[in-house]
Amino acid sequence: NAGVTQTPKFQVLKTGQSMTLQCAQDMNHNSMYWYRQDPGMGLRLIYYSASEGTTDKGEVPNGYNVSRLNKREFSLRLESAAPSQTSVYFCASSRWGVGSTDTQYFGPGTRLTVL
Amino acid sequence: ILNVEQSPQSLHVQEGDSTNFTCSFPSSNFYALHWYRWETAKSPEALFVMTLNGDEKKKGRISATLNTKEGYSYLYIKGSQPEDSATYLCALSDNFNKFYFGSGTKLNVKP
C-alpha cells in the first residue's frame, strides 16, 4: 500500500515553461487536494476535488489548473511558470462522505523552483 | 474561508518539559478540527480528529482538547522528548471536507 505518491520529487523550471505535477493514491479515497507550502504561511489550498468528476478552487488557484483523471489520480498543471510559484507542493487525499470526519493523508511533496 | 490562528509560532523547550500550544478559530462553523505533526523533510501526519462534541483525545504523551464555545483547541505534550521536535499544524474541515490550515507551531526540544 503506497498511500499517496507524487512525481517528480524535485523540478527546476525557467519562467514561462509549463509542467504537470502528478499525484496518485491507492486507498480508494474520494477526495484529493493540492496545497502549496511557503515559509511562514503553512499549507494553502490550490484546488481540490471532493469526488471523481468534480474540481473546485481553493485559496490560491491563480496560475494553476487541475485534472481529476480518475478516482486515483489528480494532476496539477502550471501553464506558464512564474518565480512566485517556487514552492513545495503537497498532494493529499481523504476518504470523505457527507458527515465524515476523515483526516487527510499527504504525499511526500514536490519541491519546485522557477528561475 | 475559516480562519485558523496558531500560537506561538515557535517554541524551544528542554527535554522533560511539558508544553502546550493553541489553535484559535473565530467561529464554530466547521465540522471537525484536526491536529497534524510535521517533521522536517517529511509529510504531515495526522495526530487527532476532534468533532464539535469536544471530547479530549490522547495518544501516549500527547493530548488535545477542544473548546468550541470559546474558540480554541490546546495540544499538550507531557515530558517532551527530542523526537517530538516538529511543526504541529491545526486545521478545520467543513461539511465538504475542505481543509483550512493554520501556519503551525514549530517545536524544538533540546536534549
Side-chain angles (χ1 to χ4, degrees):
Chain A
N1 208 357
V4 181
T5 56
Q6 290 182 235
T7 54
K9 287 195 172 142
F10 301 95
Q11 184 71 49
V12 179
L13 292 177
K14 293 181 180 175
T15 297
Q17 286 186 315
S18 62
M19 79 160 294
T20 300
L21 280 63
Q22 307 285 355
C23 174
Q25 51 88 12
D26 61 1
M27 296 175 281
N28 201 34
H29 283 174
N30 291 312
S31 300
M32 297 185 75
Y33 309 78
W34 276 106
Y35 294 93
R36 60 178 287 172
Q37 189 251 328
D38 301 297
M41 301 197 75
L43 289 166
R44 292 187 292 169
L45 182 65
I46 305 171
Y47 270 94
Y48 73 110
S49 171
S51 59
E52 188 179 354
T54 68
T55 60
D56 285 288
K57 293 178 181 179
E59 195 182 341
V60 288
N62 291 345
Y64 305 96
N65 283 305
V66 290
S67 295
R68 184 74 184 265
L69 305 167
N70 47 55
K71 193 171 185 181
R72 290 188 64 247
E73 297 170 289
F74 189 39
S75 62
L76 178 73
R77 183 158 178 84
L78 285 71
E79 290 293 349
S80 178
S84 60
Q85 294 178 304
T86 293
S87 188
V88 181
Y89 292 85
F90 285 96
C91 177
S93 71
S94 71
R95 188 171 54 189
W96 189 62
V98 174
S100 163
T101 58
D102 287 335
T103 191
Q104 291 190 346
Y105 296 83
F106 286 83
T110 294
R111 188 173 292 273
L112 175 68
T113 302
V114 183
L115 302 174
Chain B
I1 292 182
L2 296 170
N3 289 318
V4 183
E5 299 280 340
Q6 289 189 249
S7 61
Q9 242 182 346
S10 65
L11 199 52
H12 298 264
V13 301
Q14 289 294 134
E15 182 176 353
D17 287 350
S18 292
T19 186
N20 68 85
F21 21 93
T22 307
C23 173
S24 309
F25 40 90
S27 79
S28 298
N29 191 21
F30 60 92
Y31 199 80
L33 185 143
H34 307 252
W35 281 101
Y36 288 83
R37 183 169 179 274
W38 192 2
E39 289 181 73
T40 303
K42 293 190 177 179
S43 310
E45 289 185 347
L47 282 172
F48 303 116
V49 182
M50 309 180 80
T51 61
L52 297 185
N53 293 342
D55 47 339
E56 180 174 347
K57 298 282 186 179
K58 191 173 166 67
K59 188 185 287 188
R61 295 179 291 100
I62 305 177
S63 60
T65 60
L66 174 61
N67 185 325
T68 51
K69 200 171 176 181
E70 306 214 359
Y72 64 83
S73 173
Y74 287 150
L75 189 78
Y76 298 92
I77 302 179
K78 187 177 175 183
S80 303
Q81 300 297 309
E83 57 265 29
D84 295 328
S85 297
T87 296
Y88 291 84
L89 292 175
C90 172
L92 304 180
S93 58
D94 63 19
N95 285 354
F96 298 96
N97 222 23
K98 189 173 176 183
F99 280 54
Y100 302 86
F101 282 86
S103 53
T105 292
K106 188 169 184 178
L107 175 67
N108 181 34
V109 182
K110 298 177 190 173

